[in-house]
Amino acid sequence: ARKFFVGGNWKMNGNKKEINDIVEFLKAGPLDPNVEVVVGCPSIYLTYTKSILPSNVFISAQNTYKVPKGAFTGEISPAMLVDNEIPWVILGHSERRNVFGENDELIAEKVAHALEAGVKVIACIGEKLEEREANKTEEVVFRQTKAIADKIKSWDNVVLAYEPVWAIGTGKTASPQQAQEVHDKLRAWFAKNVSPAVSESLRIIYGGSVTADNAKELAKEKDIDGFLVGGASLKPDFVKIVNAKQ
Ligand code: 13P
């Protein structure tokens, strides 16, 4: 069975005081022990946050570059995460793709390099509104997934986050049926193009305006293995989202 996975993506939010408050509600929980909980924190706060997080919550970076070191001003590498015992990184987030212009090829190289360096990856994919309206959802998410599949040797240390861009930060959550449909198609894609074993074991999580109110219904869908939560991960409601799976 796939262990339910709930990630919080803080994006470019938080300061020491706010992080202290988040850590307090994570400690108070209680967090369902059957759920893997990870928080994605701005790089400058990674070591601070890690030093105060409870042991049942793991930490993630929000980006890394595709090589271990060198003349790449402003970047950090997976090797630097390993050196600081940061086990996870979020890669391919729609904000990296659409605000910072990262393409499928670069994201795939970054995913492959992070895995080779020993960092686990939350890899994000998802279509824009105009792509959905043009009936291109499958084409887009398959293309984004294939780019990664072509460059990595194993999916063991990857969680795939389906985050429709039109649902991110908009309050327009995908309905459980809309999300399940894409997750199901992705699982079929994996069975055909990677292997039945990966199709069965890979966690495919949903992101985009997940709240304490809609998480329970989404969590009932058989191919939704958890969530990647933006705005609501900064608030005590995050605990309810972690515990949404019945
Ligand atoms: P929101 O939950 O704020 O819509 O953000 C989703 C997201 O982008 C998580 O990575």
Side-chain angles (χ1 to χ4, degrees), residues 42-54:
S43 45
I44 195 165
Y45 294 114
L46 283 168
T47 53
Y48 175 71
T49 305
K50 183 183 161 62
S51 75
I52 58 172
L53 271 182

Side-chain angles (χ1 to χ4, degrees), residues 2 36 54 86 90 93 107 123 135 165 171 197-198 208:
R2 300 182 292 266
E36 188 167 356
I86 309 296
I90 300 168
H93 192 276
I107 290 160
N135 283 316
V165 181
V198 169

Side-chain angles (χ1 to χ4, degrees), residues 16-60:
K16 285 187 182 174
K17 189 195 165 301
E18 287 166 6
I19 291 169
N20 293 344
D21 292 344
I22 293 170
V23 169
E24 281 317 306
F25 72 65
L26 290 172
K27 279 186 180 162
L31 305 177
D32 182 341
N34 297 312
V35 179
E36 188 167 356
V37 184
V38 174
V39 290
C41 141
S43 45
I44 195 165
Y45 294 114
L46 283 168
T47 53
Y48 175 71
T49 305
K50 183 183 161 62
S51 75
I52 58 172
L53 271 182
S55 61
N56 57 346
V57 179
F58 297 88
I59 189 150
S60 176

Side-chain angles (χ1 to χ4, degrees), residues 18-233:
E18 287 166 6
I19 291 169
N20 293 344
D21 292 344
I22 293 170
V23 169
E24 281 317 306
F25 72 65
L26 290 172
K27 279 186 180 162
L31 305 177
D32 182 341
N34 297 312
V35 179
E36 188 167 356
V37 184
V38 174
V39 290
C41 141
S43 45
I44 195 165
Y45 294 114
L46 283 168
T47 53
Y48 175 71
T49 305
K50 183 183 161 62
S51 75
I52 58 172
L53 271 182
S55 61
N56 57 346
V57 179
F58 297 88
I59 189 150
S60 176
Q62 298 177 7
N63 190 24
T64 47
Y65 197 49
K66 63 176 179 177
V67 292
K69 62 177 184 175
F72 302 102
T73 303
E75 295 292 297
I76 63 170
S77 72
M80 293 170 182
L81 297 187
V82 171
D83 194 30
N84 285 283
E85 295 170 60
I86 309 296
W88 286 93
V89 63
I90 300 168
L91 291 171
H93 192 276
S94 78
E95 288 142 23
R96 297 304 319 171
R97 293 176 187 268
N98 300 317
V99 182
F100 300 100
E102 296 187 11
N103 61 24
D104 290 343
E105 170 86 6
L106 175 61
I107 290 160
E109 287 172 342
K110 296 208 283 190
V111 171
H113 177 64
L115 293 172
E116 280 160 22
V119 177
K120 296 184 271 192
V121 175
I122 301 166
C124 307
I125 59 169
E127 83 288 0
K128 296 181 193 169
L129 183 61
E130 62 264 32
E131 292 165 334
R132 174 162 284 258
E133 286 174 343
N135 283 316
K136 290 193 171 153
T137 298
E138 273 175 62
E139 178 187 321
V140 170
V141 298
F142 291 171
R143 187 199 74 222
Q144 293 168 333
T145 305
K146 182 179 187 301
I148 297 169
D150 284 348
K151 287 221 161 46
I152 71 174
K153 296 182 186 83
S154 165
W155 287 84
D156 287 353
N157 291 320
V158 181
V159 169
L160 189 66
Y162 168 58
E163 301 203 296
V165 181
W166 49 271
I168 295 177
T170 57
K172 289 185 196 152
T173 323
S175 69
Q177 295 71 28
Q178 281 175 320
Q180 166 60 26
E181 186 185 4
V182 177
H183 286 224
D184 176 63
K185 287 189 170 138
L186 283 165
R187 224 175 272 294
W189 186 90
F190 275 94
K192 181 162 176 271
N193 297 284
V194 180
S195 74
V198 169
S199 167
E200 181 61 34
S201 63
L202 179 69
R203 287 170 298 176
I204 306 178
I205 64 175
Y206 168 78
S209 298
V210 175
T211 65
D213 291 330
N214 58 37
K216 277 204 173 84
E217 288 303 310
L218 286 158
K220 285 181 187 158
E221 297 296 336
K222 75 174 177 44
D223 291 299
I224 299 181
D225 304 315
F227 303 115
L228 190 57
V229 185
S233 72

